[in-house]
Amino acid sequence: MKKVISLITKNFGLKILAVVFAVIFWMIVVNVDDPEMSKQFSVPVTIENENVVTDMGKVYEVLDGDMAVFTVTASRSILEKLSTSDFKATADMSQIEGMSLVPIDVSALRYTSRISIQKKTQNMQVSVEDLKSSQFVITASYDGVPAGGCAVGEVSVTPNVITVKGAESVVSRISKVVATINVNGMSTDINDRVVPVLYDENGMMISADNLSFNQDKVMISATIENKKEIPIDLEVSGRPADGYAYTGAVCTPETLVVQGEATALDSLNSLLISGEALDITGARADFSKTIDITPYLPEGVTLVDNDMAEIAVTVTIEAMTSREISVPVENLMPEHLPQGMELRFPGRAVQVTVTGLKRYLDAVSPEDIKGTVDASSVTAGMNELPVKIEYENDNVTVTGTVTVRVIVSTVGEENSNGQDTQDGQNTENLSGTQNGSGAQGNPNTEENNDGNTAEEE
């Protein structure tokens, strides 16, 4: 180890000086010799004489070769000074071959005589098609969500028609042109200039790189309005068939979200659907229908979601039934009885027919039904008088004519033939009748015979 260290450090200064001189001599040799070297470059291809194709009513698209790749050979001193800006690559469309290949020419802008160029990219490959020009209506759209309590109103674009030129195969794929404005977080009306976007029939975006437009950008505007959620009210018209009743209507959805100016929304608390849209004339069963609510919206008010323009309405129609109820005579009040005469009811009840839906009929109690009897034209003895029923219930109606038999006598007069006993016992014979008919007394019954016996005695 000591020998190695001694060998390295011995004459150390001379050894360092020898290395320095060696480097200097190498640099001198290299600079004096200046050997040739090669380097690869790539520059974009400039297309010339495009009018040769366009004058034929055609358009071209570069498929490959838009960058020229080549190798430059020169002395090292020259090569180190060159960059891509020192070269130019051109493709002359007047030299097109077979309407698909255009030769690429690469030239140096300096040191032309002192360098050599070897092209790796010989041709630019192009596709030539017929030129097509079409006009499209621009669809105005928006993206994002406005500020809370706000909704996007009208979205418009100016101009609303754009002309697109390009290869027939590309222009023919265009299904729609859309201009979109961003409304995210906005609470006031906005305007913007945007680039229209092309879509095919499948909703896929079409590149516009090789297309030209008569308008690069269009002006799009969006109004920001207030929004409000309101319920839907249903009001039917007409009457169902006889014996049937309308029992209700429901709709889906039950509420709507609308938008508009604050003045228009402040007075709008619900949306009423009525008239011919909900005509139940002659209906005998439940039915459903779809209704477009757009005509019912007041001026200046629109739907936030146009997909909610139709609602499903179901109307319920039920058959009515009838029920006979025995109303106690105690619930009947005589009126206009002549002075000096008295009246009594020989029966215990009168039969009253009520009509309505079963659930309402089941709730009717005889004690709830009252009535009055007009006794202004009675005569002594048995009378059959009409009864005016008083029953306040919108869901139940009294049908038919109700009558009741009464016995009228002079005040203080006694019944000499035992009629009181007979009438008090025979409810069937002396009860009230309906529709002008009722049970009549039978003189052959045992009770009547008993009455006759009492008279003989």
Side-chain angles (χ1 to χ4, degrees):
M1 180 61 69
K2 289 181 180 180
K3 289 182 178 181
V4 172
I5 294 175
S6 175
L7 184 62
I8 295 174
T9 57
K10 187 176 181 179
N11 299 322
F12 185 74
L14 293 175
K15 293 176 180 178
I16 293 297
L17 186 61
V19 171
V20 172
F21 277 114
V23 171
I24 293 173
F25 285 132
W26 179 82
M27 292 178 65
I28 293 172
V29 170
V30 169
N31 286 324
V32 171
D33 188 49
D34 196 11
E36 282 193 346
M37 302 177 67
S38 297
K39 184 178 179 180
Q40 184 171 287
F41 293 86
S42 62
V43 296
V45 177
T46 301
I47 300 175
E48 297 179 345
N49 298 319
E50 294 177 273
N51 61 299
V52 173
V53 175
T54 57
D55 288 348
M56 293 187 294
K58 295 182 180 297
V59 64
Y60 70 89
E61 179 183 357
V62 177
L63 302 179
D64 189 26
D66 56 341
M67 292 291 294
V69 180
F70 53 94
T71 300
V72 176
T73 301
S75 61
R76 183 191 60 79
S77 59
I78 298 298
L79 202 60
E80 287 179 347
K81 299 176 182 178
L82 295 176
S83 66
T84 55
S85 60
D86 294 320
F87 300 93
K88 179 181 179 181
T90 59
D92 189 350
M93 295 299 290
S94 63
Q95 303 298 319
I96 189 170
E97 301 173 0
M99 301 303 281
S100 61
L101 296 176
V102 182
I104 296 176
D105 177 64
V106 179
S107 60
L109 302 179
R110 62 177 184 154
Y111 304 117
T112 306
S113 60
R114 301 177 65 181
I115 65 174
S116 64
I117 299 173
Q118 184 177 358
K119 294 185 294 181
K120 289 190 176 181
T121 306
Q122 301 292 329
N123 298 290
M124 181 176 68
Q125 187 176 354
V126 297
S127 171
V128 179
E129 296 184 45
D130 291 337
L131 176 67
K132 182 174 183 178
S133 176
S134 297
Q135 286 188 327
F136 298 90
V137 175
I138 304 175
T139 301
S141 179
Y142 67 89
D143 184 35
V145 179
C150 297
V152 181
E154 181 181 5
V155 181
S156 59
V157 60
T158 305
N160 65 342
V161 176
I162 193 170
T163 301
V164 183
K165 291 183 179 180
E168 183 179 18
S169 62
V170 179
V171 176
S172 298
R173 290 175 52 212
I174 301 174
S175 176
K176 65 178 180 179
V177 180
V178 181
T180 304
I181 188 170
N182 189 346
V183 300
N184 199 45
M186 295 296 174
S187 58
T188 58
D189 297 349
I190 56 173
N191 302 288
D192 195 8
R193 288 183 62 81
V194 299
V195 177
V197 179
L198 312 177
Y199 294 93
D200 63 15
E201 61 181 5
N202 297 318
M204 301 298 293
M205 188 183 300
I206 298 175
S207 173
D209 291 344
N210 297 306
L211 301 174
S212 62
F213 304 87
N214 67 327
Q215 190 91 9
D216 292 333
K217 290 187 176 182
V218 294
M219 177 65 70
I220 186 169
S221 304
T223 59
I224 306 299
E225 301 178 337
N226 296 322
K227 67 179 180 179
K228 184 178 183 180
E229 185 174 7
I230 58 173
I232 302 174
D233 293 337
L234 305 175
E235 184 179 275
V236 299
S237 62
R239 297 176 62 86
D242 291 342
Y244 293 84
Y246 161 73
T247 58
V250 294
C251 66
T252 303
E254 298 180 346
T255 61
L256 294 172
V257 180
V258 294
Q259 64 186 32
E261 296 293 335
T263 53
L265 295 182
D266 288 345
S267 59
L268 183 63
N269 297 316
S270 65
L271 184 66
L272 177 64
I273 309 298
S274 61
E276 294 183 2
L278 291 176
D279 187 5
I280 62 171
T281 301
R284 297 174 179 270
D286 300 347
F287 65 89
S288 300
K289 65 185 307 184
T290 300
I291 299 177
D292 182 4
I293 64 172
T294 305
Y296 298 91
L297 294 172
E299 186 176 356
V301 177
T302 58
L303 293 171
V304 171
D305 186 356
N306 289 326
D307 291 337
M308 304 297 291
E310 291 186 341
I311 61 172
V313 179
T314 300
V315 177
T316 305
I317 303 294
E318 295 185 30
M320 294 191 295
T321 58
S322 296
R323 173 188 172 194
E324 285 199 355
I325 299 178
S326 295
V327 179
V329 294
E330 289 81 1
N331 290 6
L332 306 180
M333 179 65 67
E335 292 181 340
H336 312 300
L337 183 66
Q339 189 174 4
M341 304 193 77
E342 59 182 5
L343 176 150
R344 61 188 177 85
F345 297 98
R348 293 190 180 94
V350 294
Q351 297 299 313
V352 174
T353 301
V354 292
T355 301
L357 299 176
K358 185 178 183 302
R359 59 177 176 273
Y360 297 125
L361 294 184
D362 292 343
V364 177
S365 173
E367 287 71 20
D368 297 332
I369 301 177
K370 310 293 181 182
T372 59
V373 179
D374 186 1
S376 59
S377 61
V378 297
T379 57
M382 183 72 70
N383 293 261
E384 187 165 338
L385 303 177
V387 178
K388 181 181 179 182
I389 297 297
E390 297 175 356
Y391 182 60
E392 296 182 0
N393 191 325
D394 295 336
N395 300 312
V396 176
T397 58
V398 178
T399 58
T401 301
V402 181
T403 61
V404 65
R405 284 183 292 168
V406 299
I407 297 175
V408 179
S409 61
T410 304
V411 175
E413 179 182 353
E414 294 182 359
N415 188 350
S416 60
N417 60 3
Q419 187 68 35
D420 290 356
T421 303
Q422 175 186 343
D423 292 336
Q425 296 177 347
N426 192 348
T427 303
E428 180 183 357
N429 292 339
L430 298 180
S431 64
T433 61
Q434 187 170 345
N435 296 325
S437 64
Q440 303 294 329
N442 186 348
N444 296 323
T445 63
E446 181 180 352
E447 290 180 338
N448 283 333
N449 290 339
D450 291 341
N452 292 336
T453 303
E455 182 179 1
E456 292 175 358
E457 290 178 354

